[in-house]
Each structure stands twice: as C-alpha cells, then as structure tokens.
Amino acid sequence: MNILLVDDDARSRAGVAKFLWEMGHHVTECCDGEEAWATYTASAFPMVLSDIKMPRLSGIELLSRITALPGRKADVVLFTGHGDMTTAIQALRAGAYDYLLKPINVEELATITDKVAEHQALLYENKVLTERFSDEVQAATEETRQELSRLKRALSQAAGLENIGFFSKQMQDIVQQAQKYHTNRSIPVLVEGETGTGKEIISRIIHYGNMDGETDDQTPFIDVNCAAISANLFESELFGYEPGAFTGSLTKGQKGKLDLAQGGTLLLDEVGEIPLELQGKLLRVLQEKEFYRVGGLKKIKTDVRIICATNADLEQRVEQGTFRRDLYFRLKVGHFLIPPLRQRRDDIIPLSEMFLRQFTGKKANRFQRISDSAAALLLNYNWPGNIRELRNTMEWVLFMYDDAELKPAHLAHLHNNPQPSLSSADNGQAFIPEKFTLPASGFSLEEYVDQIIAQAIEICQGNKTAAAMRLGISRRSLYSRLKKVKGK
Ligand SMILES: Nc1ncnc2c1ncn2[C@@H]1O[C@H](COP(=O)(O)OP(=O)(O)OP(=O)(O)O)[C@@H](O)[C@H]1O
C-alpha cells in the first residue's frame, strides 16, 4: 500500500518509515503539513499517517483538507501525545480513521495499517461493484425501454393507430374532442365525412382514448361494415342467434357483434346501409341497452359504446324515409363531421412527408424532400379519396420512382381531376375564360390562384422561370407565392 508519512521529527519519522517498508508498504515521507498536502494532491495515497503538531499546517488541518476533497480518499491516522485525549477526540471528530499514541507502538501501527489496507480494499471493491451494478442497471433499463417501445408499436398496430398524424388545427380539435368521448361510454357517437377522411381512425381514438393505442383498456373494439352484410343476415350478425333459430344455423347458436363488443365499442361503419326494419331494433339497443338474439326469448343486457360512421348524407336519407329520424337523432348525440382533406390543407404536406418516410422504410435516402412545385401540386389537388388517396399516392410514387426529391413528374397522375385548367391556353393565346360565374359561396380566390400556379409549373415540367413567364408574373412573385403556399 502507498503510505504518506508526515512528521517534522526526522528521527521518529525514519523509524516509522523503516518499519512500514519492512511490512512491505511503499512510504513517501514529508516533513510538514503543506508539503504533505502538495504531495497528496499530486498522486493517490490510500493511507496518510501524520503527526498533529507541525509547523505551517497541522495534522488536523491536513485532515480537514483531505476529507473536503470529492471522491474516494485516504484513511488518515493521526499521532497524538500520551494523555492528550482532547486532541485524539478532535482528530476523530474531524474525520480521522484512527489515532496512534506517541511514541509509536509498532504492533499497534501494524494492526492499524492492516485495518486501513482492508478498509481501502473494501472501498475499492464497493466502487467496482457499484460501477458494474450501475452499468447493468443501465443496460437493463435500455432493454426494458426497447421492449416497451416494441410493445407500444405492436399495440398501436393491433389498434390500427400506427403511423397516423393530425397536423391541422381542425383535426387536432377533433382528436381532442374524441379523447373526451372516451371517458363517457354511454354517449352514442356519429362520425360523418367523405370516404377516406379517417372516420374509422377517429372511432378508434374514441375507443382507445389516445392516438397511439396505448391504453390500460383491454375491452374489445368490434368493427362492422354494414354495407358488406346482406339484409337477411344483418339481424343474426348484429344480435346473434339461438340454437336452431333458422335453417342452416349452427346447432350451438352464435354470438352477434353486440355480444362480442360487450364492455367495449361497436363501430357500425356505413350505418346508413342498415335495413329499415332493423333500425328500430338498433334504436331499442341504444335506448333500453338490451336486445334479443334471433330465435331467443331472453333479454340480454348490453354494455356497449356504439359509434356509427357514414359517408352518406343521413339527413337526406331521413328526408327520403330510408333512415329513421328518431334513430338518426339518437345516434347523433355525440357528433363529428370530419372535413375532407381539401378543406384542411395544413394536413397535406406533413401527411405526405409522413407517408413518404413510412413507405421509404429503411432506404432512408429516397424522397427526403418535397420540391416546392410538387408541394403546390399536392396542395391544389382536390383529393376526392382524401387521406386514403394521399397515402396510396405516396406508396405508388415510392414503388415507381427512386429519387431524393418528390417532383411534379412523380405526381403526373394527379392531374386528371376536374380542376380549372390552363390547357385552353396551350395555343399560346391569353387564357380568358369566356364567362365566369362566381358561386354563391365556397369560392376562395387564394385557392384558385394556387391551383393555376401548380398547373403552370406542371405544364412547364417544373421549370419555374417558364411557369412565371407563362403566367405573366415575375419569377420572384412566383417564388414568394410558392413559399406562402408551403408555409400554410
Ligand atoms: N390522420 C391520419 N393519419 C394517417 N393516416 C390516416 C389518417 N386518417 C386516415 N388515414 C388513413 O387513410 C385511410 C382511410 O382511413 P379510414 O378508414 O379511417 O377512413 P374512413 O373515413 O373510415 O373511410 P371509409 O368511409 O372509406 O371507410 C386508412 O388507410 C388510414 O390509415
């Protein structure tokens, strides 16, 4: 062990040093506290043996400095005079490991030195174990974190809530509202919107209560596409049937979707397609919270949240007499009208980027950017198939092309929707509509201008200078307009 020996009495110091060398230790000698402090801070000593009374810096002051140092430090043993118990107590209070009475008894010195060696070995072992333990804890924590995120991903996937994003204020408000409905299961909810707007996703958020499918709620989410069930099977599909209820039925009978959704959520997608004669039965379920199986006499109590989704105009169906008015109002207690994508343009670019990232997968170099002109095109297309169409478009682009940037050429197929066209100007003549009638409402000049710019860029195959010339505006005006569109 490396021992720092400090004593201003050279004879006594030499005697102690000789004994310690003989014990097999390595001794560094100092003749006062200041010299000892400089030596101690320059290299590591597990043990300091020091006299108390010394010029310049006393043993107690040296001890205080050593104990004030951060980290692992030496055990300090101080020499005190015979009968000087006050100093001995003072030394222990200041943090000394032990004290030795002068003149030094070599047996006591050997015992204390062995004790210090053992103590320092234990401290070292403890340090190593603590470091190893903290490494192991860190590794285990990392493993648990990875496992948790794997499970979260699996859960989101199972919940159908993987890779979704809501960027526009309109959709963020809807998601917030949907999360509120999660806590009140007794409110039926009607989700209306065009095809592909995300009605099913909003229904799942109502059920799971959050966007990533992470929930303690293990209750079922049962999805029924009412348009896909033939009218004669509808009742048994929804309510189930008792054994032998009809010819060809299973002998054990069968549970219906309402039974399967017990305690959870039943999503009736395309609810407008429910046959009129069954609408009364559905109303009864909503009002009385009970139903009969086909061929059954026993009332079955139900505890199911019912969400209905439709892209049909239910109000019109009510007027036409094909949908019950009382059911319509009952379903509509909680109501969402999901806007089409063209009315929430703030979603278009971030969703496109998200889908590109998603379909690019690990081939990270592909389609890292969307060019200004492609962005203008995406923003001005009217997306009749809404997010489903946008998603399919990005998947198709990634399948067809390999480029670092999404350009108008990759989106050529988006142009055949009925948008105002510049093609009539292809003969080089100025484009002057013969007659333009301003609609009573719903017209946005801004949108119109953006659409024209997108088409000009597309016609000029992405060449913005040519597009600006074509439109009779400066290149700078075109760029500032594009910047504005992208920033929207
Ligand atoms: N916010 C979103 N983020 C990512 N993908 C979305 C989002 N909304 C919808 N989608 C995707 O668009 C497609 C259509 O969504 P969804 O089935 O929820 O629409 P829908 O309105 O119920 O359509 P339909 O009326 O045709 O049944 C799905 O692939 C879905 O994953």
Side-chain angles (χ1 to χ4, degrees):
M1 178 167 60
N2 273 341
I3 300 175
L4 182 64
L5 176 63
V6 198
D7 198 342
D8 56 336
D9 179 342
R11 268 192 62 209
S12 144
R13 193 176 71 231
V16 173
K18 185 166 176 284
F19 178 74
L20 291 171
W21 279 108
E22 278 166 8
M23 274 182 77
H25 298 295
H26 184 278
V27 187
T28 304
E29 295 178 46
C30 292
C31 61
D32 65 51
E34 280 298 357
E35 189 193 349
W37 174 242
T39 313
Y40 181 84
T41 48
S43 56
F45 292 92
M47 180 173 191
V48 176
L49 266 171
S50 172
D51 194 11
I52 290 184
K53 290 196 183 96
M54 289 180 300
R56 302 212 291 163
L57 191 74
S58 76
I60 299 276
E61 283 166 325
L62 176 65
L63 167 68
S64 307
R65 286 191 189 180
I66 291 175
T67 48
L69 285 175
R72 196 171 142 233
K73 38 200 151 266
D75 287 328
V76 180
V77 177
L78 294 174
F79 308 143
T80 61
H82 253 299
D84 189 2
M85 281 319 286
T86 323
T87 323
I89 290 166
Q90 197 190 351
L92 291 177
R93 281 197 181 139
Y97 180 78
D98 212 335
Y99 63 90
L100 278 168
L101 296 177
K102 279 175 103 174
I104 307 290
N105 175 318
V106 287
E107 269 179 27
E108 278 179 17
L109 176 62
T111 311
I112 280 190
T113 311
D114 286 349
K115 266 167 60 187
V116 167
E118 204 177 317
H119 180 229
Q120 287 291 328
L122 278 174
L123 285 179
Y124 178 73
E125 205 176 313
N126 180 282
K127 181 172 169 264
V128 170
L129 282 175
T130 311
E131 278 169 6
R132 196 185 319 149
F133 180 69
S134 98
D135 283 353
E136 276 169 20
V137 167
Q138 218 173 332
T141 311
E142 177 58 17
E143 222 171 273
T144 312
R145 204 183 57 73
Q146 281 177 6
E147 179 63 5
L148 195 67
S149 77
R150 196 188 61 72
L151 287 173
K152 269 191 189 175
R153 268 202 312 279
L155 190 59
S156 314
Q157 216 168 10
L161 293 173
E162 200 186 32
N163 291 314
I164 57 165
F166 299 97
F167 304 94
S168 64
K169 171 85 172 61
Q170 293 125 291
M171 285 313 291
Q172 283 168 0
D173 288 348
I174 285 177
V175 169
Q176 220 175 23
Q177 189 65 23
Q179 286 171 326
K180 282 191 192 144
Y181 278 115
H182 171 71
T183 45
N184 193 337
R185 303 180 62 253
S186 62
I187 300 180
V189 182
L190 177 64
V191 188
E192 292 188 276
E194 288 180 12
T195 181
T197 45
K199 298 185 294 296
E200 184 174 334
I201 283 184
I202 293 298
S203 308
R204 286 180 183 271
I205 291 174
I206 295 173
H207 173 75
Y208 288 102
N210 60 29
M211 263 178 59
D212 48 15
E214 213 192 315
T215 176
D216 295 335
D217 192 343
Q218 299 297 314
T219 59
F221 178 90
I222 303 291
D223 178 4
V224 182
N225 184 350
C226 302
I229 305 174
S230 64
N232 54 339
L233 285 183
F234 211 96
E235 191 172 2
S236 56
E237 280 286 322
L238 202 60
F239 301 112
Y241 58 84
E242 294 295 343
F246 51 87
T247 330
S249 60
L250 295 174
T251 45
K252 287 191 301 201
Q254 185 150 308
K255 285 186 173 180
K257 303 291 185 195
L258 263 170
D259 259 323
L260 297 175
Q262 199 63 270
T265 300
L266 177 67
L267 168 63
L268 296 172
D269 206 355
E270 308 297 343
V271 68
E273 305 308 316
I274 293 189
L276 194 56
E277 59 277 16
L278 276 181
Q279 291 176 13
K281 292 192 177 176
L282 180 59
L283 182 64
R284 184 185 166 82
V285 174
L286 287 162
Q287 284 172 339
E288 314 293 332
K289 308 228 177 297
E290 56 191 25
F291 67 96
Y292 291 95
R293 289 204 179 115
V294 176
L297 297 170
K298 199 174 77 186
K299 265 188 211 162
I300 299 175
K301 283 270 166 218
T302 174
D303 169 29
V304 173
R305 177 212 311 275
I306 296 192
I307 303 178
C308 294
T310 181
N311 54 35
D313 187 343
L314 277 193
E315 218 167 294
Q316 195 184 42
R317 293 199 178 189
V318 169
E319 293 311 318
Q320 290 165 348
T322 53
F323 203 85
R324 284 180 66 138
R325 186 178 298 275
D326 46 5
L327 177 60
Y328 174 60
F329 286 111
R330 184 69 210 174
L331 292 180
K332 221 183 151 175
V333 178
H335 183 231
F336 290 95
L337 181 59
I338 315 286
L341 192 53
R342 63 185 169 280
Q343 282 173 18
R344 43 173 161 128
R345 301 197 320 157
D346 289 352
D347 274 324
I348 296 177
I349 301 301
L351 276 174
S352 306
E353 288 169 342
M354 191 183 91
F355 291 137
L356 281 177
R357 269 198 307 278
Q358 180 190 337
F359 293 120
T360 298
K362 296 201 170 84
K363 297 172 211 152
N365 285 331
R366 292 174 63 192
F367 294 104
Q368 288 183 326
R369 293 179 300 281
I370 298 179
S371 72
D372 290 349
S373 40
L377 218 145
L378 291 170
L379 287 166
N380 290 304
Y381 182 62
N382 66 355
W383 300 109
N386 294 291
I387 303 188
R388 182 179 290 114
E389 189 183 359
L390 178 65
R391 192 173 184 276
N392 291 347
T393 297
M394 295 307 151
E395 192 172 11
W396 185 82
V397 165
L398 269 144
F399 173 71
M400 291 295 292
Y401 304 104
D402 188 358
D403 205 331
E405 187 175 68
L406 185 72
K407 297 177 184 137
H410 304 133
L411 301 167
H413 66 291
L414 290 186
H415 289 282
N416 38 25
N417 73 328
Q419 293 287 306
S421 169
L422 283 185
S423 54
S424 52
D426 281 352
N427 55 12
Q429 311 264 309
F431 171 68
I432 304 165
E434 279 176 14
K435 186 165 187 287
F436 177 76
T437 314
L438 190 65
S441 62
F443 177 79
S444 156
L445 181 62
E446 291 259 309
E447 271 185 39
Y448 213 77
V449 170
D450 292 342
Q451 285 177 23
I452 291 169
I453 289 178
Q455 288 188 37
I457 291 173
E458 201 258 329
I459 286 164
C460 300
Q461 295 176 341
N463 183 331
K464 288 181 204 138
T465 311
M469 279 170 66
R470 181 80 184 252
L471 292 167
I473 58 172
S474 70
R475 208 163 158 269
R476 178 187 277 199
S477 310
L478 184 90
Y479 269 98
S480 74
R481 183 77 207 179
L482 287 174
K483 213 166 150 193
K484 212 168 122 196
V485 168
K486 215 177 168 193
K488 273 183 199 172

